Each structure stands twice: as C-alpha cells, then as structure tokens.
Amino acid sequence: MKIPRKKWNPKAPFPPLNADETYIFFISVTEKEKDIDTFLTSMSHGEKERARKYRFKKDKNRYIVARGMLRRILGGFLCVSASNISFTYNHYGRPLLNPDIHKTPLEFNLSYSDDGIIIGITFNRKIGVDIETLDRDVKELVTISKNFFTENECNNICNTPIKEQNLLFLKYWVRKEAYIKAVGKGLSIPLHSFEILLNAEQPLKFLTSEHHDPQLDWNMIEFEPRKGFLSAIAFTGEEHSISIFEESTRLEQGSEYCLKYLKTCKP
Amino acid sequence: MTREEIRQAVVDIIEELAPDEDVSNLDNAVRIREQIELDSMDFLDIIMELRKQYSVQVPEDDYPKLGTLDGCMDYLEPLMKDK
C-alpha cells in the first residue's frame, strides 16, 4: 500500500478527525523545549506543581512538553484553547477529559520514553499507547518475564538467541503496556492474565476472566514512530484508519505538520 | 524492620535501579513517580527486588498502595516487621 503524505498548518483548524479514524502524534522533547514557557501558561495549577516537584530538568521538561502538547492537540480537536482543557483522573491515575466540562466522545492516551512522546487521539473507542527506546537494555529481562509474563511469552523470550531477547521482550512489553493503558487500570491488571500473540490474527487472548471484558474486540499495531523508538497502540472497535503524524523539520520555519504515513487497519 | 528501615530499603532498591536519579530527600507523601522518572518496568523491578531480598509478595491489586514512600511503609510494615 502506498503511503500518502500530507501537511497542514497547525495555526489553521486541525484536520478533521472522523469517527473511523485514529491519529497518533510523535513529539520530540528536545525539538519542543523552546516552547516550554508557552506550555506552562496553558497548564493547570496541579500540573505546574507536579512539574515543579521533578528533581531533574530533563524529567521536568519532558513532563511540561508532554502536557503542553497534549493540551494543544486536544484543544485543537475540541476547538478550545489549550488552557481550557480540563482533566480528571480515574482511580488508577489515568488522565481523562473531564466529562463535566467536555461533552465529547474523544478519547486519548499518552506515553513517553527518553526524548520521545506519543499521543493517540480517537473517538468512541478505548485507546492505549506505549513507547520505548529500542536501545533500552532491560536488566534481568528473563527474570521479569518469568515473574510477570505468561508461560508461552516467557518461553518464547528464553528460547530466542540472547542477542535478540531484548527486542522481543520490548515487543511484548509495548503491547502489554498499550493494552493495560487502554483498559485504564495499569499494572493492576496482572500481565500474566493475558497473552500477547505476536504473529497471529488475534492480537491477544485472555487467560483469566477477571480484569478483562471478553465482549470487547481488541486490536494492536506495533510501529516505529521514529528511528530508535518502538511503539504499540491497542484499541477497540471496528475497521478504521490510523494516521501517524510527526512534525516535519520545516515546522520550525513554516509551522507545518507532516503526515508521516497512513495505515488502514482491518481487524 | 522499622518504618524508617523499610523506607531506606525501598530507596536503596530505587537507587540501584536508577543510579542517575537523585533519591536523597524524597518526599514521603508525594508520589515517587512525580519526583523521579520511574516507569512501569522500573516499578516491576521494585516489586521483584522486594520479593527477592525480603520474600515479600505484593499482589497486583495492591500495587497502587506503593505509589508513595508513606504508602510503601504503611503497606510493608506488617509484612516486614520480622525481617
């Protein structure tokens, strides 16, 4: 399939997000650090407090860029200013649009790792995203797999040549994270209660009925949003298209976003 | 172990996992992940080390209770009092 490319000016209205679409944005922290003062003005008192508590500038900046861009993007789709976006949090700490303020079926999820941030936006379906740096050297990955993954997942990792184990572990990890984030309960869902099927039509299977809703139809896609990063998106629902946007280098001069590629998912 | 010893044990594990992070003077009442950069994989490492070093089993449902150092001390105190 040929991948179409598009550009638009973010000062103009955001491109329409239809009910059958999901947009994923990749953001580089270092490329947006110059906008930190602007991002701070859009943040709530609670977010500024949280930013203040980080001990290292790199952690603080990543948080501010992630929150600032999330507000900017959500504001763009909801046609409100970034500072008027109101968040609430579920029992597990997952941020959600405040339903008392925003009457919208828009759903989102955010993840960051090192210099990379991804934000997924969609309508009327559960969505979870995760990103990891591909050079993350997972210490004791076999022990983690034995303790927290399913027996099959663990065996697959252990039976893989050692130099390929790290990548295989990360492939399982980003998918598992994307799924538990989409459900919204984080690590309270035991990672061994569902199995990731890497090369099957069905993306996962539940090994226990607890924690999972068997009525929901789940799909997952793994992708590299930028060289050096591995991501996965987990979502419910019917056939729809997924677009991954990355700011083009020309954004700094011409304020343009670039549609990196378009992938149609047909569950 | 006393509460303070439990606190130090958790901080020692975090320091081992994230040697680049400054773990001195962590605020007991503020979520650990809001003070230093720890992700889910790091959190599982902490759970694994508690199991390995102190034979403490923490079920998944109780993970949210370990979000702060106060929470860690409250939760682990009865489990580690004889350690």
Side-chain angles (χ1 to χ4, degrees), chain A residues 111-134:
Chain A
S111 175
Y112 50 72
S113 179
D114 197 47
D115 187 54
I117 299 168
I118 55 168
I119 294 171
I121 309 274
T122 193
F123 280 124
N124 287 319
R125 59 171 66 83
K126 292 179 183 292
I127 181 172
V129 296
D130 191 50
I131 183 170
E132 294 290 340
T133 52
L134 275 166

Side-chain angles (χ1 to χ4, degrees), chain A residues 182-248:
Chain A
V183 175
K185 294 183 179 175
L187 287 171
S188 294
I189 299 176
L191 295 180
H192 52 74
S193 68
F194 63 101
E195 188 157 288
I196 299 295
L197 306 171
L198 286 179
N199 300 309
E201 196 169 317
Q202 182 192 358
L204 80 171
K205 71 175 178 186
F206 302 136
L207 304 186
T208 65
S209 55
E210 198 183 356
H211 304 290
H212 307 287
D213 182 349
Q215 303 299 320
L216 292 175
D217 184 21
W218 285 97
N219 292 283
M220 289 185 189
I221 293 177
E222 176 197 300
F223 57 99
E224 292 186 24
R226 181 176 279 193
K227 187 173 167 53
F229 291 95
L230 184 68
S231 286
I233 171 175
F235 53 92
T236 55
E238 312 86 36
E239 177 178 335
H240 74 294
S241 71
I242 297 175
S243 310
I244 300 176
F245 294 93
E246 185 178 15
E247 288 186 5
S248 72

Side-chain angles (χ1 to χ4, degrees), chain B residues 7-49:
Chain B
R7 181 190 186 282
Q8 193 55 50
V10 173
V11 170
D12 286 347
I13 291 171
I14 295 171
E15 190 166 27
E16 182 78 18
L17 290 172
D20 294 339
E21 298 286 352
D22 175 12
V23 295
S24 60
N25 304 316
L26 282 173
D27 188 327
N28 290 351
V30 176
R31 284 174 61 82
I32 299 167
R33 288 174 67 171
E34 292 178 11
Q35 301 179 74
I36 56 176
E37 199 53 49
L38 291 179
D39 63 16
S40 303
M41 213 185 297
D42 298 320
F43 183 77
L44 288 189
D45 275 329
I46 295 171
I47 299 292
M48 221 163 56
E49 286 303 315

Side-chain angles (χ1 to χ4, degrees), chain A residues 55-56 62 136 140 147, chain B residues 22 24-25 37 39 51:
Chain A
R55 299 172 154 227
F56 285 112
R62 178 168 43 212
R136 181 169 188 167
E140 302 199 55
N147 280 290
Chain B
D22 175 12
S24 60
N25 304 316
E37 199 53 49
D39 63 16
R51 189 182 301 176

